[in-house]
Amino acid sequence: MEPLVKIDHLSKQYGKFAALSDINIELPKGKIIGLLGPNGSGKTTIIKVLTGLLKEYTGEVLIDGEAPSPHTKSMVSYLPERTYLSDWMQVKDAVNMFQDFYQDFDKEKALELLRRMGIDPKQKIKTLSKGMYEKVQLVLVMSRKAKLYILDEPISGVDPAARDLILDTILDNYDKDSTILLSTHLIADVERMFDNVIFLKEGKVILEGDVDTIRQEHGESIDQLFREVFRC
Amino acid sequence: MLGKLLKQEFKATYKNFVSLYIALFLILFVSLGLNKTGIDAEFLNVILMLSFVAVAAAICVVILIVIISRFDKSLYGQEGYLTFTLPVTESSIVLTKLITSFVWILLSGMAFLLCAYIVLLYLGEINWSDFNEFMQMIRQMIQSSTISQILMVIAAIIEGILFLYFLITFTNLSFINRFRIPIGIVLYALINTVVTRLKIFAVDKLANAASYLTFANIELVLSLIFIVLFFTVTVYLMKKHLIVR
């Protein structure tokens, strides 16, 4: 089966610093893939290339056979690590904006998820707490029926109870034919979700494959393996 | 998608301008109220003139700040993570910002003139010689302007906005990591000098060489060239060298 994402010889330099060095990855359809590595390993750079936020790179990146473009953006649902909604908005403005721009956005689903999380659609974005803000962005992203979900560190900086809620929201709401690329350095909490993992270190892929196979080959969990590989 | 982007942009910016217009009309009514207190007409004339100059300056400053900060924040700040992941082209993003900025400049100018007009209507019997003459002059200028003169002004406004967009985009390229604002100011001064000298040179060489080569026509054509140039280069930089930090 054709992979949904094909990355060929992707490299990115920031001055003398190589953020990515000759990355070759394929992301199959219908899988949840963990993009794992410590801070500065290149996870966000790969994500920025896939989402069209970074245009200067060498190599080839294809999403469903196309280089990143407005069309691929309509297939990708992206949750950045940062907050990206405007201060002037109320939560409902953000929902309406997503409905305007993304044909695959389900407004009813978004409103239902907000209700379940106890978020008032009339609340102003700038009055939301950090945790609430992250939940709003997650609701927006997971209310789309996208081909590819890219979730950049969705559970970093949130308490354990909120982590479970976030992970459950992801698992309950993503389209089963879609692919999820989830970057994190907090493996223990999310290991159960992954079908495949990619280990990144200093801009290079050092391990890649099916989670069960890797566990069998190394005789330890992904979290244990991660701690071993990235031990300082 | 352009319509949807425009809708979002107007929603994001209207509050800045509505509050400015409210302030403008408040100054107007306070000034009109002063008239009823029996203050000397000449003194009132000075106060009103000063108020209007202050408001005109405030409008220009607010417009400039909104044009620059809105473009910079919504594209190269945190909001850029949303703007540049929307399924829209870079040219439609730039066009949206340009149209909204232009509309706000137009509306602000009209709001200012409307205020001035209301003052004249309401206080018509007072001897407002200076102010009346000023308004008369503006009216005559508009009436006697040719189409190319009006187009020249419109083109100059658009050129100015796109020049700022180009500078903001350029100073956000990956190789400029520090001193973005000073670099932007220096670039502004340099490019502005080149553009102005080029225009003076062209007008000097070409004006009146043929009947259609009027000052306005030459300025208009040059502005159109720079509009195309700034727009194309800005979109190109976004397409090929974008980095949202």
Side-chain angles (χ1 to χ4, degrees):
Chain A
M1 191 165 61
E2 268 293 293
L4 180 65
V5 175
K6 202 164 184 291
I7 298 176
D8 262 337
H9 303 291
L10 175 65
S11 295
K12 171 65 191 168
Q13 290 275 136
Y14 289 110
K16 287 179 183 171
F17 173 70
L20 297 174
S21 303
D22 200 29
I23 302 283
N24 295 287
I25 306 173
E26 289 189 353
L27 306 183
K29 289 176 184 165
K31 300 279 183 188
I32 301 180
I33 300 145
L35 187 62
L36 314 177
N39 293 330
S41 57
K43 304 188 297 287
T44 299
T45 307
I46 290 182
I47 286 173
K48 279 188 175 180
V49 171
L50 287 170
T51 51
L53 293 170
L54 177 61
K55 302 282 178 70
E56 268 185 330
Y57 56 85
T58 58
E60 188 178 48
V61 174
L62 298 175
I63 301 167
D64 212 19
E66 275 182 64
S69 66
H71 185 241
T72 64
K73 288 173 188 176
S74 68
M75 305 177 219
V76 177
S77 193
Y78 168 50
L79 179 72
E81 203 182 346
R82 293 158 182 255
T83 53
Y84 64 9
L85 299 171
S86 302
D87 285 349
W88 64 267
M89 287 179 169
Q90 292 180 353
V91 174
K92 68 179 167 65
D93 291 317
V95 171
N96 290 335
M97 184 186 182
F98 267 63
Q99 194 189 23
D100 269 356
F101 285 98
Y102 299 109
Q103 287 186 338
D104 58 10
F105 184 74
D106 185 342
K107 185 178 178 180
E108 295 308 314
K109 185 177 179 179
L111 293 173
E112 173 57 22
L113 284 171
L114 288 171
R115 193 189 59 75
R116 266 196 251 164
M117 290 182 182
I119 300 168
D120 179 4
K122 287 184 181 160
Q123 194 168 349
K124 285 209 158 206
I125 293 284
K126 64 180 172 188
T127 64
L128 292 169
S129 67
K130 186 174 178 280
M132 294 285 248
Y133 200 131
E134 285 177 357
K135 283 176 194 165
V136 169
Q137 291 196 162
L138 182 73
V139 164
L140 293 170
V141 168
M142 297 315 298
S143 297
R144 287 184 58 194
K145 200 175 175 191
K147 282 189 177 177
L148 174 64
Y149 296 88
I150 298 179
L151 314 174
D152 193 1
E153 301 278 4
I155 53 165
S156 67
V158 293
D159 58 77
R163 270 179 208 175
D164 286 342
L165 178 72
I166 288 170
L167 295 177
D168 290 343
T169 306
I170 295 168
L171 288 173
D172 293 344
N173 293 285
Y174 88 102
D175 190 75
K176 302 298 179 267
D177 296 326
S178 320
T179 297
I180 296 183
L181 180 67
L182 189 152
S183 95
T184 187
H185 59 276
L186 302 165
I187 320 289
D189 295 294
V190 285
E191 186 175 338
R192 63 183 166 102
M193 291 173 64
F194 296 141
D195 298 309
N196 293 21
V197 287
I198 299 161
F199 275 32
L200 277 181
K201 188 179 186 181
E202 293 166 1
K204 291 177 185 148
V205 175
I206 55 165
L207 184 67
E208 182 194 2
D210 173 65
V211 166
D212 293 333
T213 313
I214 291 174
R215 279 195 199 117
Q216 266 183 355
E217 279 176 5
H218 292 82
E220 51 193 347
S221 71
I222 300 298
D223 183 41
Q224 286 167 327
L225 187 60
F226 182 86
R227 287 169 198 272
E228 200 175 286
V229 171
F230 297 108
R231 185 177 293 140
C232 294
Chain B
M1 285 292 182
L2 187 66
K4 290 171 182 172
L5 281 170
L6 281 169
K7 181 176 130 189
Q8 285 301 320
E9 196 59 22
F10 277 115
K11 275 169 117 180
T13 49
Y14 84 94
K15 279 183 185 162
N16 294 306
F17 290 97
V18 168
S19 36
L20 187 73
Y21 301 153
I22 290 171
L24 180 63
F25 281 92
L26 274 179
I27 290 175
L28 168 77
F29 289 118
V30 167
S31 305
L32 294 180
L34 281 177
N35 177 50
K36 293 194 170 173
T37 59
I39 294 174
D40 175 53
E42 214 165 293
F43 179 64
L44 189 61
N45 193 1
V46 172
I47 290 182
L48 256 183
M49 286 294 278
L50 286 176
S51 307
F52 272 95
V53 169
V55 167
I59 288 174
C60 292
V61 170
V62 170
I63 287 171
L64 199 64
I65 290 172
V66 171
I67 288 175
I68 293 173
S69 72
R70 184 68 201 144
F71 194 81
D72 190 51
K73 229 175 111 180
S74 67
L75 299 189
Y76 301 108
Q78 305 225 116
E79 282 178 46
Y81 279 78
L82 180 57
T83 311
F84 281 117
T85 51
L86 293 174
V88 295
T89 59
E90 289 79 1
S91 51
S92 58
I93 291 173
V94 178
L95 205 55
T96 300
K97 305 281 178 193
L98 174 66
I99 292 170
T100 38
S101 296
F102 183 76
V103 167
W104 286 126
I105 289 173
L106 211 63
L107 287 179
S108 303
M110 283 163 65
F112 179 74
L113 287 177
L114 180 68
C115 267
Y117 190 66
I118 291 171
V119 168
L120 284 179
L121 273 185
Y122 190 74
L123 304 172
E125 72 278 11
I126 297 173
N127 183 20
W128 289 64
S129 54
D130 295 346
F131 201 68
N132 264 329
E133 273 176 28
F134 174 70
M135 289 306 291
Q136 194 63 32
M137 196 177 75
I138 290 179
R139 205 173 295 130
Q140 278 172 358
M141 271 171 64
I142 293 171
Q143 280 168 354
S144 63
S145 296
T146 60
I147 289 175
S148 57
Q149 278 170 327
I150 293 167
L151 288 177
M152 178 189 81
V153 174
I154 292 171
I157 294 170
I158 294 172
E159 182 193 348
I161 298 169
L162 287 171
F163 181 26
L164 290 174
Y165 289 171
F166 160 73
L167 286 172
I168 296 166
T169 302
F170 187 85
T171 50
N172 275 288
L173 292 178
S174 61
F175 67 90
I176 301 178
N177 290 314
R178 290 192 299 166
F179 310 120
R180 280 193 206 119
I181 294 173
I183 290 171
I185 292 169
V186 170
L187 266 179
Y188 175 85
L190 280 175
I191 297 172
N192 194 40
T193 308
V194 172
V195 169
T196 310
R197 292 203 170 193
L198 207 70
K199 284 184 176 179
I200 291 170
F201 177 78
V203 169
D204 192 40
K205 290 285 170 197
L206 298 172
N208 303 320
S211 60
Y212 59 86
L213 286 173
T214 61
F215 170 77
N217 280 348
I218 298 168
E219 280 278 336
L220 176 62
V221 170
L222 288 170
S223 282
L224 290 175
I225 291 170
F226 284 111
I227 285 171
V228 173
L229 189 71
F230 288 138
F231 183 85
T232 311
V233 175
T234 304
V235 171
Y236 171 80
L237 291 177
M238 281 182 183
K239 273 187 175 168
K240 302 290 178 188
H241 302 282
L242 175 75
I243 174 164
V244 181
R245 289 177 170 89

